[in-house]
Amino acid sequence: METIRKQYDGEVAQVSVPKSLEILVQRGWEIFNSPRVRIEYTHNQEADIFLNDLVNYPHALVFACIMDRQIPAERAWLIPFLLKQKLNHFSMDRLCALSLEQIVQLMTVPAPLHRFPVLMAKNLYSAIHRIAAVYNSDACQIWAGRPSSALVFYRFFEFAGVGPKIASMATNILAREHKIPFSDYYFVDISADTHVRRVFFRLGFTPQDASAEHVIYKARSLYPDFPGLIDLPCFEIGKKWCRPKNPLCSLCYMKEVCPHPVI
């Protein structure tokens, strides 16, 4: 357990920080400060180039986030690209001209693009018209001008079909992957998926049966300035080494500080 000094209203306090957290934070800053590279959302090169183009198609990222619900992420993020292929365009002006019935058809014929194609068509129709009305058809305005992380979260949360988990994911992706500057990172939360929850338990941060909310609030308490900073390091550990069964502890960089190593 390391001790660091923090200053509050002129008083200096000694704060104990687990070594495991120090390592996660260090790895998180390495990822955050690394040069921006194209994100492989779908592992389809053409689709990923399209989804990474926040200059011409920022609304594609918003639509993909809305679709990321109860289906594999790669499939959800592919949907805007599939719609672009069907339409032979993806401009906001022409999307706004589509009726709800036309969007339902695009989402359902010849094969459903989503597990809930009609519901997602309604959410997509709502999102198109919200971006047009509130953001002057430019989704970049959602995150332009160094807004607070809470404001970006809230703007995503206002879209139909977006809950706290998706709003948090979108905010984190913009900050961490697309290097969008915010005025603060207090509200960039961890995404408590199965890998992160498992790593949090094995590192001794939370109980084994901790809920997603439990993990999120624990991350806020561990690193309140930027809770989401430790999201990708935990996901990385869970995906590569900290498997549910037969974990590869000897290969994990946390093995010296993990209270549950299996060497």
Side-chain angles (χ1 to χ4, degrees), residues 75-93:
R75 180 181 166 193
W77 282 77
L78 190 61
I79 291 173
F81 178 71
L82 296 177
L83 292 172
K84 179 177 180 289
Q85 287 186 315
K86 287 186 176 187
L87 293 165
N88 293 315
H89 71 81
F90 214 66
S91 71
M92 277 297 300
D93 288 344

Side-chain angles (χ1 to χ4, degrees), residues 238-257:
K239 186 79 171 177
K240 290 184 177 180
W241 307 296
C242 197
R243 301 172 178 176
K245 296 180 180 179
N246 303 315
L248 304 176
C249 297
S250 62
L251 302 179
C252 178
Y253 61 81
M254 301 295 286
K255 63 180 180 291
E256 300 297 332
V257 296

Side-chain angles (χ1 to χ4, degrees), residues 10-221:
E11 296 184 7
V12 175
Q14 299 290 328
V15 181
S16 295
V17 177
K19 185 65 177 178
S20 54
L21 177 61
E22 279 194 357
I23 296 171
L24 289 175
V25 168
Q26 180 180 2
R27 175 59 181 153
W29 281 118
E30 287 175 0
I31 295 169
F32 186 80
N33 291 324
S34 63
R36 184 178 181 274
V37 297
R38 188 173 70 223
I39 307 155
E40 294 186 353
Y41 289 115
T42 68
H43 302 289
N44 174 314
Q45 185 177 22
E46 191 177 355
D48 289 336
I49 290 172
F50 167 67
L51 289 165
N52 277 265
D53 187 355
L54 297 190
V55 174
N56 296 302
Y57 303 109
H59 44 287
L61 180 142
V62 178
F63 300 156
C65 289
I66 292 170
M67 297 294 153
D68 198 350
R69 176 177 169 186
Q70 296 192 41
I71 61 172
E74 292 83 0
R75 180 181 166 193
W77 282 77
L78 190 61
I79 291 173
F81 178 71
L82 296 177
L83 292 172
K84 179 177 180 289
Q85 287 186 315
K86 287 186 176 187
L87 293 165
N88 293 315
H89 71 81
F90 214 66
S91 71
M92 277 297 300
D93 288 344
R94 295 175 71 180
L95 289 171
C96 283
L98 296 172
S99 67
L100 175 57
E101 291 73 20
Q102 287 174 312
I103 293 178
V104 169
Q105 186 174 28
L106 286 166
M107 289 291 297
T108 56
V109 178
L113 298 184
H114 196 280
R115 182 181 176 188
F116 308 109
V118 176
L119 174 60
M120 289 299 137
K122 292 177 180 178
N123 290 342
L124 176 58
Y125 179 82
S126 174
I128 290 168
H129 289 277
R130 179 170 187 81
I131 291 171
V134 178
Y135 300 107
N136 196 29
S137 292
D138 181 9
C140 281
Q141 291 186 18
I142 295 171
W143 53 81
R146 297 181 64 91
S148 69
S149 54
L151 181 56
V152 175
F153 174 97
Y154 185 74
R155 285 171 174 171
F156 273 97
F157 190 62
E158 288 185 301
F159 284 95
V162 173
K165 182 178 179 180
I166 295 300
S168 179
M169 177 198 73
T171 307
N172 205 338
I173 285 173
L174 287 169
R176 183 185 67 212
E177 305 292 353
H178 288 282
K179 314 300 181 184
I180 301 297
F182 299 158
S183 62
D184 65 69
Y185 297 93
Y186 302 128
F187 226 77
V188 181
D189 275 319
I190 202 165
S191 297
D193 70 0
T194 182
H195 296 301
V196 171
R197 291 166 71 173
R198 183 169 62 254
V199 170
F200 258 52
F201 161 64
R202 289 180 176 169
L203 287 177
F205 296 150
T206 53
Q208 188 170 14
D209 60 351
S211 66
E213 290 78 14
H214 194 152
V215 172
I216 289 167
Y217 281 97
K218 182 62 178 183
R220 291 181 186 178
S221 72

